[in-house]
Amino acid sequence: MIGLLLAWQVAAAMPLLEQNRFADARPLLEKACMANEVNGCYLLGRTLFTLDRYDDALKTLAPLITTDPNPWRVHDAIAGAYEALRRPAEAEKEYRQAVDGNKDRTPEPRYHLGRFLIREGRPADAVATLTPAAAKFSRHQLIRFELGRAYYQMNRITDAEAQLTAAPSLDEARRLLQKIKRQKGS
């Protein structure tokens, strides 16, 4: 009976999360997490992150590394909190653990690590991280955009154009591609 109640609280929170009503979802997720419902705790950690409560997110997420059925997603969420707190060494460590644990089943961990490396001014490292993801998840436009951005920062314009062209629905990819074309024209 208690398990059903916890599952209901998480299920009731989902529409609120989908509507970006994080503050409204938080009490439901807190109740589920207090009763050790793992997915409730994970979603609470992500919610706290979204509400810019990074230290609280870390406190909620850290214990889940050993209990979550997909610990890579916990490492990925923790990495985002460390990045928001401007703790880059810890963020990179967690992002890399997420990539290792995910084993390229989904594109998000590599995308997040690549984006982080670009923000840290390390485009060559980002290329090394994103290239395998772009090959495996060729239709993932965010990966293609970040890879194009990394190539652009390395002044590898032809490679940048190829990646940005593969992300036609992203406004930021189209803007960077237009910028490249203007630079080539002058």
Side-chain angles (χ1 to χ4, degrees):
M1 181 71 166
I2 292 175
L4 186 58
L5 178 62
L6 298 176
W8 175 85
Q9 288 171 327
V10 172
M14 292 307 292
L16 298 171
L17 295 173
E18 290 168 0
Q19 297 167 17
N20 295 327
R21 293 174 52 197
F22 300 102
D24 294 334
R26 182 178 167 194
L28 294 167
L29 296 172
E30 285 174 337
K31 287 178 186 174
C33 185
M34 285 174 38
N36 296 318
E37 203 287 327
V38 174
N39 205 39
C41 289
Y42 172 74
L43 292 172
L44 175 60
R46 297 294 302 188
T47 297
L48 291 167
F49 174 86
T50 303
L51 294 171
D52 299 331
R53 302 204 44 189
Y54 307 120
D55 288 318
D56 292 336
L58 287 170
K59 288 175 190 167
T60 301
L61 292 165
L64 302 180
I65 290 173
T66 58
T67 60
D68 195 271
N70 296 299
W72 67 265
R73 73 181 184 160
V74 178
H75 285 291
D76 194 57
I78 289 171
Y82 279 139
E83 185 177 0
L85 290 167
R86 292 176 179 80
R87 294 166 60 180
E90 292 156 299
E92 183 172 354
K93 177 183 172 230
E94 294 293 331
Y95 279 131
R96 291 195 182 281
Q97 287 181 313
V99 169
D100 291 345
N102 181 265
K103 297 180 178 32
D104 289 329
R105 288 186 296 259
T106 63
E108 286 78 13
R110 279 192 186 274
Y111 163 67
H112 294 152
L113 175 58
R115 183 182 61 190
F116 165 77
L117 293 168
I118 291 168
R119 289 177 181 161
E120 289 296 303
R122 297 167 50 196
D125 292 336
V127 166
T129 295
L130 293 169
T131 298
K136 182 165 185 174
F137 304 102
S138 60
R139 294 181 184 206
H140 195 279
Q141 292 190 34
L142 290 169
I143 287 174
R144 302 301 285 266
F145 166 68
E146 294 297 346
L147 186 53
R149 195 163 72 127
Y151 281 135
Y152 177 76
Q153 289 179 6
M154 296 170 65
N155 203 30
R156 291 177 54 183
I157 302 304
T158 302
D159 293 325
E161 283 181 296
Q163 294 303 321
L164 296 167
T165 301
S169 68
L170 298 178
D171 288 337
E172 53 269 72
R174 286 194 302 273
R175 282 194 298 273
L176 184 52
L177 197 53
Q178 289 170 351
K179 180 179 180 178
I180 289 170
K181 288 179 181 180
R182 283 192 307 273
Q183 289 173 346
K184 288 173 81 174
S186 58

